[in-house]
Amino acid sequence: MEIYAKLPHETTADVIVTGFFEDDKTLNDTQKSLDEKFENVVSKNILEVENFKGKYLETFTCPVQGAKILAIGLGKKEEFNVDKVREIAAKTIKQSEKLSKTKTVAFNIQNNGNMCCCKIAGNITLGTIMGEYDFDKYKTKKNEEKIERVEILHCKPEKMTPAIEKAKITGDAMDFTKDLIFEPAEYATPTKIAEIATGLANENGLEIKVFGREELKAMNFNAFLAVGQGSVQEQKFIHIKYVPKNFNEGPEKKIAIIGKGITFDSGGLDIKPPASMLTMKTDMSGCACVLGVMKAIAKIKPNVEVHMLSALCENMPSGSSYKVGDVLVAKNGKTIEVDNTDAEGRLTLADALTYADELNVDEVIDVATLTGAVIVALGNTITGVMGHDEEFIKEIIEDAKEAGENLWQMPILDDMQDNLKSDIADMRNTGSRYAGASTAARFLLNFTKAKKWAHLDIAGTAFLDKPYKELNKGATAAMVRTLIQHITK
Ligand code: BES
Ligand code: MG
Ligand code: ZN
């Protein structure tokens, strides 16, 4: 899909999406010219005859000569914002697809005076990409009605271009992340994902290292190795590095982003019941997220050094699986008694966090489908964020807001470590049933020395069973936008 800005009178679109506020129906210049071109269709047919109210997301379609006008309600003028722009773009692009033979859609969204036009253009771009996404690789019948071009109408089109281009990079990264999450575990094995990561790194001029079992043994990734030992798929650890070039001064900061990479979580010997296992091919959503972020970073080229890490394996029951009661010596030397083989993500992250410490970075952020408990607490539309530096957490929450994602902080208290007491080892990998998301975060804290660390639990937000605002059902690419915003702002 091509997306670009265009002068309003130059549009040749099949569908023209045009917005109206609920409380102010003054026609803007584009609407005035449409009105002239199509015999008062806007002022008469839409506003008077159809009594179109402009309520948020209310729509009305009106055929005109050679095209269709899709009127969209923007709601109350003072309540309008860029998040609504994105939702409107995602929903109207889907609707336009259904209007016969549509190939080009033009957008004319009003500014309420509180937004920068570039932000509107950027969010139309992102919204249309998100709305148009679907994973049809395994369908024999593909959707033939895809929109080919999106025009963003503005009187100074060239001014919109940088925002549109950045949003396209973000949208492409999200599409990449979603594709990987939707892939069955049988396809997206640790080896396959390592291959995909290598391809991504090579295409974008990034450095990559991939470690297999033997190397991981030599490097003491014992907690991670234990989780993968029940699977016939070889486990892989990937490390991609982006180093800024062409800047006069060294990087502003160094960041490590870590994604949980369980390519299938059966629960292991503590096997999950069928309903809970259904979506467990998505337990690598953290890895898919940070890979997508690297793809975007390589194109945006900020003056920040970024290390992407992921410990990839399957959590499977077999004769060689790790068992409850096993004591693991993690990479940082601390010992862990396995209390539940289904609390595997934190074991793989523990060693990845230790590896990140060795990179001497300023910030560490991990993204993980870590606990069912975070879904109980926050549902499917809010990601839980935890950490030990209040200022840093606040910063990440602000970045998420700016990027259009919901984050909510959950606490980590020191005495939560009591919950993790083991009789024979330094700690066990689970606590009591209560405060599960925080307990998991408290566990992770034993394995990072980073002063600025944020843990993002996306168990609820990575994959949806129904659409939410601009997000489709299924993979959401949760935290891709937030991390890109954090790294490139
Ligand atoms: N991958 C799951 C968490 C999860 C649950 C992700 C639902 C997405 C949707 C994780 O590995 C897990 O199994 N966690 C256990 C931990 C428990 C055994 C302490 C959980 O939350 O039930
Ligand atoms: Mg599990
Ligand atoms: Zn898991």
Side-chain angles (χ1 to χ4, degrees):
M1 191 167 62
E2 265 183 276
I3 308 175
Y4 46 84
K6 205 166 191 183
L7 285 166
H9 65 268
E10 285 182 357
T11 182
T12 51
D14 314 294
V15 173
I16 302 161
V17 177
T18 188
F20 293 92
F21 291 118
E22 195 176 329
D23 40 6
D24 177 3
K25 304 245 176 33
T26 330
L27 301 189
N28 64 23
D29 290 344
T30 304
Q31 289 165 336
K32 279 184 201 149
S33 70
L34 289 173
D35 213 35
E36 275 166 32
K37 194 166 159 189
F38 301 120
E39 294 161 358
N40 298 335
V41 68
V42 181
S43 53
K44 292 276 175 314
N45 290 34
I46 300 177
L47 296 182
E48 281 176 26
V49 180
E50 289 304 324
N51 201 12
F52 177 81
K53 296 269 188 298
K55 288 207 182 309
Y56 188 53
L57 296 179
E58 178 190 358
T59 56
F60 176 71
T61 321
C62 183
V64 289
Q65 206 186 358
K68 288 199 171 75
I69 293 182
L70 174 53
I72 174 87
L74 308 178
K76 297 221 162 65
K77 193 171 180 179
E78 73 277 9
E79 289 170 8
F80 198 51
N81 59 38
V82 289
D83 294 329
K84 291 185 174 170
V85 172
R86 223 171 32 251
E87 181 176 9
I88 284 170
K91 291 190 171 157
T92 51
I93 197 89
K94 280 204 193 75
Q95 209 168 325
S96 306
E97 222 182 66
K98 293 193 191 88
L99 300 171
S100 62
K101 292 203 203 116
T102 306
K103 290 290 174 224
T104 306
V105 179
F107 281 89
N108 163 235
I109 307 272
Q110 316 257 35
N111 194 337
N112 66 351
N114 294 335
M115 295 181 269
C116 146
C117 287
C118 297
K119 272 199 174 173
I120 298 184
N123 281 284
I124 293 175
T125 306
L126 202 50
T128 53
I129 297 175
M130 291 170 77
E132 274 289 274
Y133 179 83
D134 89 84
F135 186 74
D136 62 2
K137 178 174 165 189
Y138 296 102
K139 293 251 169 95
T140 47
K141 194 169 177 298
K142 316 279 182 208
N143 180 0
E144 307 274 311
E145 274 132 37
K146 288 264 154 204
I147 306 292
E148 286 169 5
R149 286 169 299 272
V150 171
E151 301 179 345
I152 297 169
L153 305 182
H154 197 270
C155 54
K156 295 203 181 81
E158 64 289 345
K159 282 205 168 162
M160 304 298 111
T161 308
I164 294 175
E165 291 309 313
K166 187 172 178 191
K168 271 193 215 168
I169 293 172
T170 305
D172 282 349
M174 291 174 74
D175 286 357
F176 170 88
T177 297
K178 290 177 191 177
D179 283 350
L180 204 51
I181 296 170
F182 269 115
E183 283 290 358
E186 195 52 27
Y187 172 88
T189 60
T191 303
K192 184 72 193 180
I193 295 179
E195 273 171 33
I196 293 171
T198 306
L200 185 151
N202 292 341
E203 278 162 31
N204 293 285
L206 304 171
E207 294 170 38
I208 179 163
K209 288 185 216 162
V210 178
F211 305 120
R213 263 190 189 130
E214 289 312 312
E215 289 148 304
L216 292 166
K217 274 181 199 157
M219 294 161 84
N220 287 317
F221 276 88
N222 303 317
F224 170 39
L225 280 162
V227 176
Q229 77 189 31
S231 167
V232 294
Q233 294 293 340
E234 191 187 358
Q235 56 204 100
K236 302 279 180 189
F237 186 89
I238 55 181
H239 174 186
I240 302 182
K241 183 174 173 185
Y242 161 79
V243 186
K245 293 186 189 91
N246 307 326
F247 286 94
N248 293 332
E249 288 174 14
E252 285 159 27
K253 59 183 174 184
K254 297 182 182 181
I255 306 186
I257 51 176
I258 308 175
K260 173 173 167 179
I262 302 296
T263 59
F264 190 74
D265 183 10
S266 69
L269 290 178
D270 286 316
I271 198 159
K272 287 180 185 291
S276 310
M277 212 190 290
L278 264 180
T279 56
M280 282 304 130
K281 67 171 186 183
T282 71
D283 212 18
M284 35 55 79
S285 297
C287 171
C289 165
V290 292
L291 269 176
V293 171
M294 289 315 275
K295 192 174 153 80
I297 295 303
K299 301 207 167 74
I300 301 172
K301 299 188 169 52
N303 192 14
V304 176
E305 186 174 302
V306 188
H307 297 262
M308 179 246 131
L309 312 174
S310 187
L312 287 151
C313 69
E314 281 181 339
N315 184 23
M316 297 293 275
S318 81
S320 60
S321 295
Y322 77 135
K323 306 166 190 73
V324 290
D326 285 357
V327 175
L328 317 175
V329 185
K331 187 165 166 55
N332 73 350
K334 292 188 183 172
T335 59
I336 308 160
E337 183 182 11
V338 178
D339 210 40
N340 190 318
T341 62
D342 199 10
E344 83 299 334
R346 62 195 75 182
L347 297 171
T348 64
L349 287 172
D351 285 349
L353 285 164
T354 303
Y355 182 92
D357 273 345
E358 293 167 5
L359 301 171
N360 286 317
V361 289
D362 305 298
E363 299 175 359
V364 175
I365 304 174
D366 74 73
V367 190
T369 45
L370 205 64
T371 66
V374 82
I375 316 176
V376 175
L378 301 176
N380 290 108
T381 60
I382 307 170
T383 293
V385 54
M386 286 145 270
H388 54 171
D389 177 321
E390 288 303 313
E391 286 309 308
F392 186 52
I393 300 297
K394 268 193 207 137
E395 183 185 337
I396 303 285
I397 292 174
E398 279 307 308
D399 295 336
K401 212 177 268 171
E402 183 65 30
E405 296 194 276
N406 299 326
L407 278 196
W408 204 266
Q409 187 182 5
M410 315 254 290
I412 309 180
L413 302 186
D414 283 342
D415 60 22
M416 284 174 173
Q417 187 69 25
D418 298 345
N419 220 339
L420 294 166
K421 269 204 179 113
S422 156
D423 292 335
I424 63 165
D426 296 341
M427 69 196 94
R428 53 183 181 145
N429 71 334
T430 65
S432 78
R433 225 155 54 79
Y434 303 117
S438 293
T439 307
R442 185 66 191 83
F443 176 88
L444 294 178
L445 192 49
N446 291 285
F447 301 91
T448 181
K449 294 198 186 100
K451 291 208 169 58
K452 291 182 175 184
W453 164 65
H455 160 59
L456 303 169
D457 194 335
I458 57 168
T461 50
F463 202 80
L464 302 180
D465 60 7
K466 57 174 190 293
Y468 170 67
K469 293 186 178 172
E470 69 269 35
L471 298 171
N472 296 346
K473 184 180 170 188
T476 62
M479 295 301 115
V480 169
R481 285 179 278 167
T482 297
L483 290 187
I484 294 175
Q485 171 65 19
H486 177 68
I487 297 168
T488 67
K489 67 184 167 194

